[in-house]
């Protein structure tokens, strides 16, 4: 492991995004250069051993002095429980950045992003970076969660919708709790034929838990997408 990859951080603001997800703003000891969509490893000590847990960077790369991680509280999960128990001011060592879930040739195709839960974290980094650089081709974000109060970074998506006519945000709720919900209902893969059936000049980025990535990939292939058009990031 290269020592130059190790960063000492201090946990700054801790922000509740949803009932089960918090954002942790980590202040870096030196600038971290990364490509939007990449992740870092959080190094957490337990019983004299170091646990390396990967978390996607939710903040854009033009913010070099700090990064943001979105962490879901997993019942029985040691690292997520540690994160959700801190309040700010703690020190945290991270290793990175790494990962290939990135847009290599911006502008060469229309971009489709499909995510569930905190799988939207690296996509937030990508989208904030792309639109800051003036990306002009069409962009879709199909984002699935269980309940209405679990839509991560909703204000960001609404602002992007307002500022960029080429951005289409499609939230879908699998278990809506309110009769006032007027958006899409169901799993993300059931929405693809409606919004992105035309496979021409598109690159698709899929991020989430393994069963969701598998289901979405199978749906995309059934619609006629080629494997080379699809890039995935699986959360375990």
């Amino acid at each position: 492991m290269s020592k130059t990859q190790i960063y000492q951080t201090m946990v700054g603001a801790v922000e509740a995004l949803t009932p089960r997800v918090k954002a942790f703003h980590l202040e870096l000891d030196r600038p971290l250069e990364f490509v939007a969509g990449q992740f870092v490893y959080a190094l957490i000590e337990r019983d004299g051993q170091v646990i390396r847990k990967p978390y996607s960077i939710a903040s854009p790369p033009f913010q070099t002095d700090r990064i943001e991680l979105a962490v879901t509280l997993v019942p029985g999960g040691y690292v997520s429980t540690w994160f959700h128990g801190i309040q700010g001011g703690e020190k945290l060592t991270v290793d990175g950045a790494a990962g290939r879930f990135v847009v290599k040739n911006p502008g060469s195709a229309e971009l489709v992003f499909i995510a569930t839960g905190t799988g939207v974290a690296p996509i937030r980094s990508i989208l904030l970076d792309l639109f800051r650089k003036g990306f002009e081709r069409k962009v879709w974000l199909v984002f699935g969660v269980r309940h209405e109060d679990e839509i991560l970074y909703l204000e960001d998506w609404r602002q992007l919708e307002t500022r960029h006519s080429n951005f289409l945000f499609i939230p879908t709720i699998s278990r809506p709790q309110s009769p006032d919900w007027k958006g899409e209902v169901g799993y993300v893969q059931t929405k693809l034929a409606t919004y992105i059936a035309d496979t021409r000049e598109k690159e698709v980025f899929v991020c989430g838990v393994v069963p969701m990535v598998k289901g979405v990939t199978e749906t995309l292939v059934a619609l006629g997408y080629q494997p080379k058009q699809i890039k995935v990031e699986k959360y375990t």
Side-chain angles (χ1 to χ4, degrees):
M1 181 190 303
S2 171
K3 291 183 179 180
T4 59
Q5 291 181 299
I6 299 298
Y7 294 79
Q8 304 301 328
T9 80
M10 185 182 75
V11 180
V14 178
E15 177 185 2
L17 299 178
T18 74
R20 296 176 58 242
V21 180
K22 289 183 178 180
F24 298 86
H25 299 262
L26 308 182
E27 300 172 3
L28 298 160
D29 62 343
R30 66 187 190 280
L32 168 63
E33 293 185 5
F34 67 96
V35 180
Q38 290 189 311
F39 62 86
V40 295
Y41 290 98
L43 307 185
I44 308 295
E45 186 172 339
R46 181 184 187 184
D47 300 329
Q49 301 293 321
V50 175
I51 301 172
R52 288 164 51 87
K53 182 70 173 179
Y55 287 104
S56 294
I57 302 171
S59 49
F62 53 81
Q63 295 177 357
T64 60
D65 61 336
R66 62 192 185 280
I67 58 173
E68 179 178 340
L69 308 180
V71 180
T72 302
L73 179 60
V74 178
Y78 183 84
V79 176
S80 71
T81 299
W82 181 88
F83 267 105
H84 278 250
I86 63 180
Q87 298 180 345
E90 295 83 357
K91 293 182 179 180
L92 173 65
T93 301
V94 300
D95 179 16
R100 299 179 179 178
F101 190 71
V102 300
V103 180
K104 290 187 176 181
N105 299 300
S108 63
E110 298 178 339
L111 302 178
V112 179
F113 297 92
I114 306 166
T116 54
T118 52
V120 83
I123 293 169
R124 178 179 184 257
S125 179
I126 293 170
L127 291 181
L128 293 178
D129 188 50
L130 282 175
F131 284 118
R132 188 173 190 262
K133 293 176 178 177
F135 189 82
E136 295 181 346
R137 300 205 68 175
K138 197 163 185 179
V139 179
W140 291 261
L141 171 57
V142 185
F143 183 31
V145 293
R146 290 179 302 175
H147 308 306
E148 297 90 322
D149 62 355
E150 296 179 334
I151 303 176
L152 296 170
Y153 301 113
L154 179 58
E155 183 178 344
D156 288 327
W157 314 135
R158 294 306 187 201
Q159 287 182 0
L160 289 179
E161 277 187 314
T162 299
R163 296 172 182 171
H164 304 280
S165 60
N166 57 326
F167 177 63
L168 180 62
F169 174 52
I170 306 155
T172 182
I173 308 298
S174 61
R175 304 174 192 173
Q177 296 177 314
S178 170
D180 297 328
W181 174 253
K182 305 301 182 185
E184 295 284 358
V185 175
Y187 295 115
V188 287
Q189 55 263 45
T190 66
K191 308 304 169 186
L192 306 184
T194 300
Y195 291 97
I196 59 163
D198 184 352
T199 66
R200 293 172 298 178
E201 295 189 3
K202 288 186 179 66
E203 291 182 10
V204 187
F205 296 78
V206 188
C207 189
V209 294
V210 173
M212 168 268 187
V213 171
K214 181 175 183 293
V216 168
T217 302
E218 290 174 349
T219 301
L220 290 168
V221 171
L223 288 172
Y225 283 87
Q226 301 300 309
K228 65 181 180 180
Q229 291 179 273
I230 306 168
K231 183 169 290 187
V232 305
E233 184 95 304
K234 300 175 184 178
Y235 283 6
T236 57

